[in-house]
Amino acid sequence: MCGIALSLGPEADPATFRRMLAVLAPRGEVTETRREAGLLAGTRRLRIVDRERAVQPWVSADERLLLCFNGEVFNHRELRVELTRLGHAFRSESDTEVVLAAFERWGEDAVRRLRGEYAFVVVERATGRAYLARDPLGVKPLYWSRVPGCLHLASEVKALVGHGAPVAEVPPGHHGWAEPGGHVRLRPYVDLLALGDGLPVVDDPDEAALLVRAALTDSIRMRLDTDLTVGVVLSGGLDSSLALLHTHQLHPDCVAVTVGAPGSPDVAYARRLAADLGVPHEVIELRPRDIRLADVREAIRISELTEYGDIINAVVSVPIFRRLRDLGVKVVLTGDGSDELFGGYPMYHQVGPERARRLFLHKIRNLCRTELQRVDRASMAHGVEARVPFLDLSVVELAMRLPLELKLREGQEKWIVRRAFADVLPDYVRRRPKNPMSYSSGLHERARLYKPLFARLHRSFGYHLLDPVRRDFDSVLTRCGNDLDRAIADGLARPDYTVLEHARDLVGAAKWNAAPVVRRLVGPRATRRTPVG
């Protein structure tokens, strides 16, 4: 994983480029650059695969092409074997070199062969043209901004806002060419909404369970191909517990990290599983009153998020990755994506199958700017690479072929996942209903106190040059009776909350936060014991 930055065109300015790359410093350990006329390219590299030789920007053997790459390609070993048979001579063991070799051999079709979480730029050094690509789900980010005579590209919005020009995003599953200082023309190479089309529906529970187990186990296995210690973000719920169970079995050099308020059910479940497995467990105990305005501001600065609920979740996520950094852990697995794929949200089950599928597809398509953006920014802000096995394209495609009745059954959400791993999941995890981490601990309600300030803080960092803060789409959807078309129209007509809505929300949050204080004031005082003897 890395932070990448490029300035292309006759007006590329070295001082501006240095500032861009400096902003991305937390994403890696070493700064590596290449400066040529009309081409300034650099990375802030987090050294994980072939740590000594995978130097970037990577230049092809014939010096025709230059690559800046952020992410991981998990099938790089298989691609290396194929490319070697086709005559390519490799100089390293890195996936970075495999990406450029694949592009040299297959051109724009190379992205269809990559299995991973990535965003990259390939520059034709002679012409200054650049090829941009981003992974199908948008796990890894890539943005661009154009000023007269120069096109700037970077891994984060914060590296581009200093130019004062509008910022645009390379959408998930898109690729295409950019002219130096000119137009950017992108098109999709994978259609998320069409995944699974033409393939049979898997409605037999036994077959579905076998397929889910095989796909998810393989996805986790590929993401554990490292000689480094692997962390697991453990919430105490089903998805992160599965990630820890597999990691413990396949890569015993692992550690679990949990955040929560003292006494929260999530922390208790997480402690129990880690203890049962004998996995080292780091618990970050946060009391709601520990969350201050400075923490909220820092979460907004790091995350660049545009929905209120995602920002609140980022406030809770940041301490996890800070602790992982302090532990020296550079690779971590999370359970993100399972709720979206396997029916973990009530809305899927409150409408008919056709409407549920549309909601499902909408969630998946927008993960890049919600959950996945939170995970990328919160992790990479601390030099930690987060991998999301539930969002491997093979798992997503399989989930699209499963009927809703296999996702919610017998009153349990994600029923098919529980069925698939029934023999390895402890009963206390398998039977536990969904209970979102931040809600159950009370940390969410504490951060909610500061919601009226989110939009102003967001603008103060210049992030409105990409998108302003908007209402939580889930709340809009609920108010619209889970009617997707109506909710989209409503969101466009009135993007942000009104002053009255903010006031009501603030009153609700204030009441919740005041309740523990009131209980302490009016509750019975502890009886003072007289010493014996």
Side-chain angles (χ1 to χ4, degrees):
M1 294 288 181
C2 303
I4 65 175
L6 299 96
S7 294
L8 309 173
E11 298 301 318
D13 174 55
T16 300
F17 170 71
R18 282 195 299 271
R19 287 194 293 270
M20 289 169 55
L21 200 52
V23 169
L24 301 174
R27 293 185 72 94
E29 302 161 288
V30 294
T31 299
E32 298 164 342
T33 61
R34 192 175 183 103
R35 295 174 170 85
E36 303 174 5
L39 167 59
L40 306 173
T43 66
R44 181 68 179 168
R45 183 164 62 96
L46 186 63
R47 295 178 291 190
I48 292 177
V49 180
D50 198 353
R51 294 185 280 278
E52 298 306 318
R53 291 182 294 174
V55 178
Q56 293 197 48
W58 188 270
V59 178
S60 59
D62 61 8
E63 299 192 346
R64 185 173 59 91
L65 301 173
L66 174 148
L67 168 70
C68 284
F69 170 61
N70 169 33
E72 300 287 350
V73 170
F74 300 119
N75 65 334
H76 71 97
R77 298 186 194 280
E78 295 91 329
L79 291 174
R80 178 186 299 275
V81 170
E82 184 177 357
L83 288 163
T84 300
R85 286 173 181 162
L86 292 170
H88 189 92
F90 285 91
R91 295 170 278 159
S92 74
E93 295 297 320
S94 71
D95 56 339
T96 300
E97 184 177 10
V98 170
V99 169
L100 190 54
F103 182 79
E104 288 182 274
R105 181 73 192 187
W106 298 304
E108 296 177 30
D109 287 333
V111 285
R112 296 183 173 88
R113 294 172 172 262
L114 305 180
R115 184 178 179 185
E117 304 164 357
Y118 54 82
F120 64 86
V121 179
V122 177
V123 182
E124 290 182 343
R125 295 175 64 209
T127 66
R129 295 175 70 228
Y131 171 78
L132 322 179
R134 188 178 180 192
D135 68 69
L137 274 294
V139 180
K140 292 290 105 184
L142 186 59
Y143 301 92
W144 56 274
S145 180
R146 187 169 54 239
V147 297
C150 189
L151 175 70
H152 299 291
L153 300 129
S155 294
E156 297 187 10
V157 179
K158 57 178 67 70
L160 298 172
V161 295
H163 309 131
V167 178
E169 180 180 18
V170 176
H174 279 62
H175 67 158
W177 289 88
E179 302 298 327
H183 295 291
V184 178
R185 296 180 177 88
L186 304 172
R187 64 190 186 283
Y189 65 86
V190 63
D191 184 359
L192 281 180
L193 305 189
L195 277 182
D197 284 1
L199 296 173
V201 173
V202 183
D203 53 10
D204 177 75
D206 293 331
E207 181 187 5
L210 287 172
L211 291 174
V212 167
R213 181 163 180 153
L216 186 57
T217 300
D218 183 59
S219 178
I220 294 173
R221 177 189 59 79
M222 294 193 78
R223 285 162 175 79
L224 294 174
D225 183 14
T226 179
D227 61 345
L228 298 171
T229 300
V230 173
V232 176
V233 177
L234 180 64
S235 71
L238 174 68
D239 314 314
S240 62
S241 295
L242 275 174
L244 182 62
L245 284 161
H246 282 82
T247 302
H248 172 61
Q249 179 184 15
L250 300 171
H251 193 90
D253 181 12
C254 62
V255 60
V257 179
T258 302
V259 65
S264 77
D266 293 324
V267 172
Y269 275 95
R271 286 189 192 277
R272 182 175 178 183
L273 181 63
D276 286 351
L277 295 176
V279 171
H281 188 203
E282 292 282 323
V283 178
I284 306 157
E285 290 195 335
L286 278 180
R287 298 164 300 178
R289 65 178 180 272
D290 292 334
I291 295 176
R292 306 295 178 87
L293 178 59
D295 302 300
V296 173
R297 186 181 188 279
E298 179 66 356
I300 291 173
R301 185 195 69 79
I302 286 171
S303 69
E304 308 174 346
L305 288 160
T306 57
E307 284 193 22
Y308 287 86
D310 295 319
I311 291 171
I312 289 171
N313 287 334
V315 173
V316 180
S317 298
V318 166
I320 295 173
F321 296 105
R322 186 183 298 132
R323 177 66 61 85
L324 284 163
R325 178 197 62 194
D326 293 345
L327 292 171
V329 175
K330 294 198 289 186
V331 176
V332 64
L333 266 57
T334 81
D336 291 279
S338 178
D339 287 326
E340 287 77 8
L341 293 179
F342 295 107
Y345 294 112
M347 64 179 182
Y348 290 152
H349 316 298
Q350 296 166 352
V351 297
E354 212 37 58
R355 287 175 65 190
R357 179 173 174 78
R358 288 196 65 213
L359 291 173
F360 167 73
L361 293 172
H362 180 86
K363 271 279 189 184
I364 295 300
R365 186 166 53 184
N366 283 276
L367 276 174
C368 63
R369 64 171 188 82
T370 55
E371 291 297 301
L372 291 178
Q373 181 168 321
R374 172 186 59 81
V375 170
D376 172 79
R377 301 301 193 281
S379 61
M380 294 303 291
H382 299 92
V384 177
E385 172 185 305
R387 301 176 177 181
V388 283
F390 279 94
L391 292 175
D392 191 275
L393 203 59
S394 63
V395 179
V396 177
E397 182 180 85
L398 175 59
M400 289 190 173
R401 297 170 56 200
L402 301 178
L404 192 61
E405 55 265 25
L406 291 185
K407 297 178 180 181
L408 178 71
R409 193 160 173 165
E410 300 170 5
Q412 280 193 322
E413 87 288 345
K414 295 181 280 193
W415 179 86
I416 192 61
V417 178
R418 299 172 196 272
R419 169 76 176 271
F421 295 98
D423 61 322
V424 297
L425 280 168
D427 276 351
Y428 59 86
V429 172
R430 186 167 61 88
R431 299 181 185 279
R432 189 189 180 201
K434 178 176 172 57
N435 197 5
M437 177 176 57
S438 55
Y439 283 86
S440 67
S441 65
L443 303 178
H444 177 279
E445 289 294 342
R446 174 66 180 187
R448 194 175 140 214
L449 275 174
Y450 301 99
K451 275 182 70 175
L453 304 176
F454 287 5
R456 188 177 74 190
L457 290 169
H458 186 269
R459 286 193 300 272
S460 75
F461 295 115
Y463 298 156
H464 60 288
L465 291 170
L466 174 67
D467 266 323
V469 171
R470 66 192 82 184
R471 288 184 292 166
D472 294 314
F473 187 77
D474 285 351
S475 66
V476 177
L477 191 63
T478 300
R479 188 160 43 251
C480 292
N482 292 319
D483 184 320
L484 184 59
D485 293 326
R486 186 179 154 204
I488 291 173
D490 189 290
L492 291 173
R494 184 165 62 82
D496 203 352
Y497 293 110
T498 64
V499 173
L500 181 59
E501 286 173 322
H502 271 309
R504 288 174 179 168
D505 194 52
L506 182 59
V507 169
K511 286 181 178 177
W512 190 95
N513 281 274
V517 178
V518 173
R519 283 196 296 269
R520 285 197 299 270
L521 291 174
V522 303
R525 296 184 179 180
T527 303
R528 194 172 186 180
R529 293 187 177 183
T530 303
V532 177

